[in-house]
Amino acid sequence: MNKLPTYFEARKWASFRIQNLTQVDMTAIDFLLEKQLGLTTVGLLSHYRDVMTAEQWQKFQENVDQLLGGKPVQYIVGQTDFYGLTLAVTPAVLIPRVETEELVDWVLTETAGYQSDPLRVLDIGTGSGAIAIALKKNRPNWQVTASDISDAALKVAEKNARNLQTPITFVQSDLFQNLTGSFDLIVSNPPYIAISEKSEMDASVIENEPAIALFAPQNGLAIYQRLAHEADRYLTPAGRLFLEIGFRQQAQVENIFHTSMPAATVIAKHDVAGHERMIEIKK
């Protein structure tokens, strides 16, 4: 391409580059264009005839090369969208998935009667801060604490909280190690993938996203076992624990909590695709 392209021509050029690559689709290209150019989806459509500057075109070509090399588009642009929010992401944090949006939605639905109450809420393994920030944005009166074992992840989460003006308390902690007090709600999307499942995973995930946020010992169940053993002491008498789980783990996680917290009620919920994805434990 000898002349500077319009946005539409740049998109078409990228489509030819990816046409034989099943791991990249036009959704990623559109996301790349939108975030690079600072446009919404509608804005991109309305500006398709605009001509790129030389700097924009050069950057877009470099970004597409990274995408073709297997780097997730969210890390390329340093942003992702989650529950109506734009969050900064780096390779220090997991890229939030749509399943986690469903977990947030479930928490908000299940606690609709407590919108104005100053509930004490804990997000364990916050990563980018996605869950904690989404909950705080939708329930401003809640007192939200977010923890993570990774200092690098907490720096990303703190940046997102500042950018989105959500006052959250951040604590570096291995589960409950550095936490005190009790909470009305504890929410977590912990690492739950078994090492043995690595061969089934997308190479771009394994090569780019933090292993500490993906994999757990004991066939992916180690963190659930620890939570089941420790959470009771940190929940208020009517406290509730919401967890994301792997899509084949429901029976095992239910059994873990029935064993460690026999007086609790365990409720499972499937995602919109019908997969086992969420567990609620009520004291």
Side-chain angles (χ1 to χ4, degrees):
M1 194 173 289
N2 296 321
K3 64 181 181 65
L4 292 174
T6 63
Y7 297 170
F8 175 78
E9 290 168 337
R11 185 179 186 274
K12 188 176 181 180
W13 169 84
S15 73
F16 283 120
R17 294 287 310 277
I18 70 170
Q19 60 186 344
N20 295 319
L21 297 172
T22 56
Q23 73 272 26
V24 179
D25 59 28
M26 288 308 297
T27 303
I29 295 298
D30 288 339
F31 185 84
L32 196 61
L33 275 169
E34 289 165 17
K35 296 304 182 184
Q36 181 185 332
L37 300 171
L39 297 171
T40 63
T41 301
V42 174
L44 182 61
L45 287 170
S46 62
H47 286 274
Y48 258 165
R49 295 182 183 276
D50 291 5
V51 176
M52 281 187 158
T53 65
E55 183 179 0
Q56 287 172 336
W57 175 227
Q58 179 64 34
K59 184 65 175 176
F60 182 67
Q61 292 176 88
E62 293 171 357
N63 286 344
V64 170
D65 285 342
Q66 290 187 74
L67 192 62
L68 297 179
K71 188 171 183 178
V73 65
Q74 294 90 342
Y75 289 153
I76 295 172
V77 299
Q79 294 181 355
T80 194
D81 294 329
F82 181 85
Y83 214 77
L85 305 169
T86 297
L87 301 172
V89 289
T90 75
V93 301
L94 201 68
I95 298 167
R97 266 63 170 187
V98 66
E99 294 86 4
T100 309
E101 290 187 306
E102 291 190 52
L103 177 64
V104 169
D105 207 42
W106 192 30
V107 173
L108 294 174
T109 300
E110 286 290 291
T111 59
Y114 303 94
Q115 295 186 31
S116 301
D117 295 352
L119 299 188
R120 296 194 72 228
V121 180
L122 171 64
D123 172 26
I124 293 178
T126 195
S128 63
I131 292 174
I133 293 170
L135 292 177
K136 182 65 175 178
K137 274 292 184 184
N138 286 274
R139 300 286 188 268
N141 289 334
W142 286 6
Q143 301 169 28
V144 179
T145 298
S147 69
D148 204 288
I149 194 172
S150 166
D151 182 60
L154 284 174
K155 285 182 169 59
V156 176
E158 288 169 345
K159 175 183 178 181
N160 282 323
R162 286 194 304 271
N163 290 346
L164 293 166
Q165 299 180 324
T166 45
I168 292 169
T169 300
F170 290 97
V171 180
Q172 185 173 12
S173 181
D174 180 3
L175 294 192
F176 298 102
Q177 189 177 65
N178 297 324
L179 295 165
T180 58
S182 57
F183 299 89
D184 301 295
L185 300 176
I186 298 176
V187 187
S188 184
N189 174 23
Y192 53 68
I193 301 172
I195 300 297
S196 61
E197 295 178 307
K198 206 169 185 178
S199 61
E200 303 173 30
M201 297 174 63
D202 192 313
S204 68
V205 174
I206 298 170
E207 293 168 5
N208 293 279
E209 301 196 53
I212 194 172
L214 293 168
F215 301 103
Q218 303 297 321
N219 292 318
L221 299 171
I223 306 302
Y224 301 116
Q225 291 167 343
R226 289 182 60 192
L227 285 168
H229 179 68
E230 301 174 33
D232 194 29
R233 298 194 299 274
Y234 293 89
L235 284 167
T236 57
R240 298 155 87 170
L241 173 63
F242 290 85
L243 301 170
E244 184 171 324
I245 62 173
F247 71 95
R248 291 178 290 201
Q249 293 178 326
Q250 180 179 312
Q252 294 165 300
V253 176
E254 284 179 327
N255 183 60
I256 288 169
F257 281 95
H258 280 308
T259 301
S260 294
M261 300 174 65
T265 301
V266 181
I267 302 168
K269 183 176 174 62
H270 291 195
D271 64 17
V272 292
H275 296 140
E276 304 168 356
R277 276 298 184 183
M278 294 163 271
I279 291 282
E280 178 188 3
I281 297 93
K282 294 181 179 180
K283 283 187 67 174

